[in-house]
Amino acid sequence: MNKRGTGVAFIAIAAFLFSAKYISAAIFGSGVLSWNDELFNAMLTYVGSPLNVSSIVALMIGIAYIAWGEYEEFKSKKQ
């Protein structure tokens, strides 16, 4: 897999981790009889922030890999 493909894979992982936080909060609060924004925000705090941190890290790694691949492509075409 080249660097661009690896970057896209890391960005897909970041999207999955970002959505996993909201999906797990919705599953966690599935037994609640009435929904409102404050309750969902409380469910999000129960899930915690490691999914946010790991999604941001994966996104930055993905962007770095894509930039690295583009730089190497530009460098090889320049010569």
Side-chain angles (χ1 to χ4, degrees), residues 11-29 35 40 43-56 58:
I11 290 174
I13 290 169
F16 174 75
L17 290 172
F18 184 76
S19 64
K21 178 178 182 176
Y22 291 96
I23 291 172
S24 59
I27 291 171
F28 182 65
W35 277 88
F40 191 69
M43 298 297 170
L44 285 174
T45 58
Y46 289 140
V47 172
S49 64
L51 288 174
N52 275 345
V53 172
S54 22
S55 68
I56 290 170

Side-chain angles (χ1 to χ4, degrees), residues 49-76:
S49 64
L51 288 174
N52 275 345
V53 172
S54 22
S55 68
I56 290 170
V57 168
L59 179 66
M60 293 193 327
I61 291 172
I63 290 171
Y65 262 102
I66 289 175
W68 187 12
E70 290 296 323
Y71 173 72
E72 284 186 351
E73 181 73 24
F74 176 73
K75 188 176 164 183
S76 69

